[in-house]
Amino acid sequence: MANSREVIVVGAGIAGLTCAVTLQEAGVPVRVLEASDAVGGRVRTDRVDGFLLDRGFQVLQTAYPMVKDLVDVDALDLQPFTLGLALRSDRGPDHFVVADPRREPQLIPQTLRSGKLHPASVASLTRWLAPALREEWVLNSGEDVTRGEAMDAASFVGPLRHLLDTFLAGVLLEDDLSTSNAFTLLLMRSFATGRIGLPAGGMQQLPAQLAARLSQPVELGTEVVEVGPGRVRTAGGENIDAGLVVVSTDPETAERLTGRPSVPGKGVTTHWFATDEAPADHRMLVVDQRHEHGPVINTCVVSNAAPGYAPEGRHLVQASSLLRPGQPPVEDEAVRAHVGQLWNVDASGWQLLRRDDIPYALPVQPAPLVDREDLVVDEGLIVAGDHTDTGSIQGAMVSGRRAAEGWIARTTP
């Protein structure tokens, strides 16, 4: 007979693992079933020809509260990026730099020379950001509008606005300014207070660390084909009964299993190039500020920040482009040509290690922001994932903790 308090977690991504760790710490028996050959969900890393390739370009943000609570960042040996952007502009082939003057003071002279810090633009940027930078700020989604509308209301225009729109296109995976302003400000607050970087062994080290805390290992290669209130059937024919089933798969699989409609997603394509010579020695994202540009929304020399991502004597460059719903993916040669322009080098000889087409990289976050979706599908059946919260590692972890804490509250005397 099944343990009426036991929980079955379907999917060993960030949300599912957070849920399982939280349940275990409360003394709740939990099994995690994962269809693939490793934990992580969208947060996976592969070794290709000696290079570490994440499934699409990703970074870890240290300011996320859930990361602070549950992750041993020191054990990940986080390799930080410089808190700034390198700009390809119409003013010449050399990069201009805009960096955070508080934490990258050595780049203040270059930032001042960038031409982006017109006093009126800086003032309007401050007006737009001001709510999120107050220590006591509380998100008020009831007053939320799109980020484009909020920036316009703050009279945020000019070169600095163009730069921020370009940068946020790569963060939010949209360039139509449609994302919730409240969500955008949450992210900007994180950028202002934390650091971004890569675990030395790849982004998959994050879910691997969570999984290592479980006393009962994740059951890999265990596909779930049917779920219901308190029951699961696997592709291998096992029927499992439990008090609660948490479906923490990707949104499309969750919809297929539970019937609950999935939130639309936004896509990205990442090209991974190997080169014998790094096109630059800095650890910043490069974005295109020219009037005429190509498909790449950002690029960087990953191995400048995280040397372990490339074998000795070689370098790893990523180039990310939007993967738009209903449109064909970007062509390899268009990306190669554009990334060469961004670095002002001939990239024709760069080795294409892999391209990652990820149609659902992030859930859409329209205004007004709904940052706490109801997780319940039926009695004994719930969903978890960043599509039920905010589209980020933070959102995935919060949803997993919410799923666990709701069950703990119901079953603890």
Side-chain angles (χ1 to χ4, degrees):
M1 182 176 178
N3 185 331
S4 62
R5 196 167 181 240
E6 183 180 37
V7 176
I8 303 299
V9 176
V10 181
I14 299 294
L17 292 170
T18 302
C19 178
V21 167
T22 306
L23 290 166
Q24 177 180 278
E25 290 179 347
V28 177
V30 56
R31 289 176 64 183
V32 183
L33 312 181
E34 170 56 48
S36 71
D37 60 355
V39 302
R42 281 177 285 167
V43 185
R44 291 283 301 271
T45 306
D46 304 303
R47 187 170 289 278
V48 178
D49 293 345
F51 293 85
L52 294 180
L53 306 185
D54 297 324
R55 303 278 177 92
F57 178 59
Q58 307 175 47
V59 294
L60 180 61
Q61 169 58 263
T62 63
Y64 287 151
M66 289 292 294
V67 170
K68 293 179 179 179
D69 285 350
L70 286 184
V71 178
D72 184 347
V73 175
D74 290 339
L76 295 177
D77 190 13
L78 197 70
Q79 313 285 293
F81 285 90
T82 300
L83 295 171
L85 296 171
L87 320 178
R88 180 72 163 90
S89 76
D90 290 316
R91 293 164 57 189
D94 294 333
H95 290 153
F96 291 89
V97 171
V98 174
D100 184 337
R102 300 168 303 137
R103 291 180 292 171
E104 306 289 357
Q106 77 281 4
L107 295 176
I108 288 176
Q110 292 185 55
T111 299
L112 292 174
R113 289 196 299 268
S114 70
K116 296 291 183 179
L117 302 186
H118 188 279
S121 288
V122 173
S124 57
L125 171 63
T126 303
R127 282 196 299 272
W128 173 62
L129 286 176
L133 298 182
R134 292 197 299 266
E135 190 171 336
E136 72 280 5
W137 180 63
V138 177
L139 184 150
N140 184 353
S141 58
E143 299 176 356
D144 194 21
V145 295
T146 69
R147 69 177 177 98
E149 291 169 330
M151 288 175 168
D152 290 344
S155 300
F156 187 15
V157 296
L160 195 55
R161 165 71 182 272
H162 181 214
L163 172 60
L164 194 59
D165 281 341
T166 307
F167 167 66
L168 287 174
V171 175
L172 302 171
L173 302 185
E174 55 85 350
D175 55 6
D176 59 5
L177 315 185
S178 61
T179 299
S180 151
N181 188 60
F183 176 63
T184 306
L185 288 179
L186 280 174
L187 289 179
M188 295 299 293
R189 183 184 177 97
S190 296
F191 285 125
T193 58
R195 298 199 73 90
I196 60 172
L198 294 168
M203 281 294 292
Q204 193 169 345
Q205 293 302 301
L206 171 61
Q209 186 185 103
L210 295 173
R213 294 172 59 177
L214 297 175
S215 57
Q216 182 166 341
V218 174
E219 298 173 44
L220 301 173
T222 306
E223 181 184 2
V224 170
V225 295
E226 184 180 343
V227 302
R231 60 179 177 81
V232 163
R233 181 168 65 86
T234 71
E238 183 181 7
N239 292 296
I240 308 171
D241 293 322
L244 176 69
V245 174
V246 180
V247 177
S248 58
T249 64
D250 64 89
E252 295 96 333
T253 301
E255 179 175 359
R256 175 171 54 79
L257 289 173
T258 69
R260 172 177 168 146
S262 63
V263 176
K266 298 176 288 187
V268 67
T269 293
T270 297
H271 285 72
W272 299 99
F273 294 101
T275 176
D276 293 333
E277 185 175 347
D281 60 3
H282 61 66
R283 296 178 290 116
M284 289 180 282
L285 286 178
V286 176
V287 296
D288 202 340
Q289 292 291 276
R290 299 174 301 167
H291 292 292
E292 299 292 334
H293 54 79
V296 176
I297 49 176
N298 61 57
T299 178
C300 68
V301 183
V302 176
S303 51
N304 281 352
Y309 268 64
E312 187 174 354
R314 305 205 73 195
H315 302 275
L316 179 65
V317 178
Q318 73 82 21
S320 293
S321 311
L322 296 180
L323 180 55
R324 303 177 191 275
Q327 296 186 21
V330 64
E331 295 182 357
D332 293 344
E333 289 312 307
V335 169
R336 187 185 293 274
H338 191 200
V339 78
Q341 294 170 18
L342 288 171
W343 292 106
N344 193 34
V345 299
D346 179 3
S348 61
W350 288 4
Q351 177 189 357
L352 178 58
L353 294 166
R354 191 175 73 185
R355 67 173 286 160
D356 291 328
D357 291 317
I358 306 172
Y360 200 120
L362 289 174
V364 298
Q365 303 271 203
L369 178 66
V370 179
D371 64 330
R372 292 292 185 273
E373 292 275 1
D374 186 7
L375 305 180
V376 177
V377 176
D378 203 341
E379 184 71 19
L381 177 63
I382 64 176
V383 296
D386 66 351
H387 56 286
T388 67
D389 200 273
T390 54
S392 59
I393 288 174
Q394 166 72 9
M397 297 181 82
V398 167
S399 74
R401 175 173 280 182
R402 287 173 58 209
E405 290 180 342
W407 182 246
I408 293 166
R410 286 182 56 190
T411 58
T412 300

